Amino acid sequence: MALVNTKKMFEMAAKNGYAIGAFNVNNMEIVQGITEACQEVNAPVILQVSKGARAYANHTYLVKLVEAAVQECPNIPIALHLDHGPDFETCKACIDGGFTSVMIDGSHLPFEENIALTKKVVEYAHAHGVTVEGELGTLAGIEDEVVVEAGHESYTRPEEVIEFVQRTGVDSLAIAIGTSHGAYKFTPEQCTVNEDGILVPPPLRFDILEAVAEKLGDFPIVLHGSSSVPQDYVKMINENGGKMPNAIGVPESQLRKAAELSVCKINIDSDLRLAMTGTIRKFYNDNPSKFDPREYLKPARANIKELVKHKLINVLGCAGKADECM
Ligand code: G3H
Ligand code: 13P
Ligand code: ZN
């Protein structure tokens, strides 16, 4: 089937208590690893492209790679989404250039300005059959060039969500409930130590998620910054010349719970980067004389595929759901 927008996926995810995985793509191996996993377990998927990805790989290359995946995986619905669209012009370029969904990220703007910008994007997008994600509240971490220091993030205010959704006409809403971007989501000081000596991050603010859901009913909610930072890959990186002390993510059990509630889209990028980097670092160390990129990109792609399969089955709950989302 052709690329789809996110309407049907979100409708089914909200109705049946699962979330769609939204994975960032920057090159062919990442696109292949993700979509081969989705095809194998029959899962719908959102492939998302950031401003940084467009700058790195070029808009046309990314669209063509995703179109190739659509052709190779004819039995699953695939949406192509702009992640953290910074302005109207970027959203318009993506809508005109083959994307089926865009995010306009006005979360750093005052409320009225966020509404005005988001509404402008929605009007253009909807006229072209493209769905739109807006955001209220700010996450800590780095999104493209926007750096929000820990402690300067702000949770979404449930009392604002109805007005935002109604006045903008968005199709989904990203909220801030304690997730953050990147591989360093929590400091060790913010964590508690469990009986096995493992650092346990503070729980997400499910009270805010529930308050938002009470206001919006089945309306699709999005979680950014939802990598769990698998410690096996952090260890692999650190044992093979890397230096990533105290990389800590959101526990998968928390994400599973969010997916069963009103969260319909969960964004995962850093975990795939860790899998790729760890695999390649280990390959270099184990095989110092090899220099053919295919030899290290092949296991990196395979590990991305395995990780995505795990997320689809055990975290998002969307394995086997492709047919109902068509
Ligand atoms: O939230 C941002 C995504 O992880 C994309 O990251 O801006 O480095 O492409 P990027
Ligand atoms: P992570 O950095 O937790 O993977 O979040 C990715 C994201 O939110 C992309 O928009
Ligand atoms: Zn994000």
Side-chain angles (χ1 to χ4, degrees), residues 43-292:
V45 70
I46 297 168
L47 298 178
Q48 54 186 19
V49 167
S50 68
K51 178 183 166 191
R54 287 176 85 234
Y56 169 73
N58 171 307
H59 177 102
T60 311
Y61 278 96
L62 290 168
V63 170
K64 296 295 171 196
L65 283 173
V66 171
E67 284 173 358
V70 168
Q71 201 174 323
E72 289 296 317
C73 306
N75 305 323
I76 57 168
I78 300 178
L80 174 55
H81 174 79
L82 170 65
D83 189 28
H84 294 287
D87 47 40
F88 176 79
E89 290 68 30
T90 308
C91 292
K92 182 177 181 300
C94 288
I95 294 163
D96 295 345
F99 283 45
T100 53
S101 175
V102 293
M103 174 191 194
I104 175 68
D105 185 353
S107 60
H108 55 287
L109 297 172
F111 188 64
E112 283 298 327
E113 288 175 39
N114 189 359
I115 288 184
L117 175 61
T118 305
K119 189 168 183 284
K120 186 175 173 191
V121 172
V122 168
E123 280 166 5
Y124 190 79
H126 284 183
H128 294 79
V130 169
T131 39
V132 180
E133 175 185 324
E135 180 166 1
L136 273 179
T138 49
L139 277 65
I142 302 170
E143 307 165 351
D144 282 317
E145 297 110 39
V146 182
V147 181
V148 180
E149 300 286 345
H152 291 267
E153 69 274 31
S154 57
Y155 295 117
T156 301
R157 293 152 55 91
E159 60 273 25
E160 291 182 344
V161 297
I162 292 183
E163 186 181 350
F164 185 83
V165 165
Q166 285 179 349
R167 287 179 58 197
T168 58
V170 281
D171 302 280
S172 60
L173 179 68
I175 63 167
I177 60 166
T179 60
S180 72
H181 289 103
Y184 302 92
K185 300 189 189 300
F186 307 98
T187 62
E189 294 72 36
Q190 288 176 293
C191 302
T192 51
V193 183
N194 74 7
E195 60 272 19
D196 302 318
I198 291 169
L199 291 175
V200 181
L204 298 181
R205 291 289 303 273
F206 283 101
D207 57 324
I208 298 177
L209 178 60
E210 276 158 23
V212 168
E214 206 168 286
K215 304 259 183 214
L216 294 180
D218 271 352
F219 189 81
I221 299 302
V222 177
L223 278 193
H224 282 248
S226 295
S227 276
S228 55
V229 185
Q231 292 302 303
D232 287 353
Y233 282 122
V234 174
K235 191 163 173 261
M236 193 185 280
I237 288 170
N238 288 336
E239 284 176 354
N240 289 282
K243 204 170 181 188
M244 296 191 70
N246 300 325
I248 303 171
V250 180
E252 289 187 336
S253 56
Q254 298 264 302
L255 299 165
R256 181 83 206 97
K257 183 172 162 187
E260 282 165 359
L261 297 170
S262 52
V263 171
C264 290
K265 173 175 180 271
I266 291 188
N267 287 8
I268 298 172
D269 183 10
S270 299
D271 285 355
L272 274 49
R273 295 180 180 193
L274 291 166
M276 186 158 211
T277 301
T279 308
I280 293 173
R281 274 193 179 280
K282 182 165 173 7
F283 184 91
Y284 284 152
N285 258 3
D286 293 350
N287 303 278
S289 63
K290 299 243 167 118
F291 67 99
D292 182 341

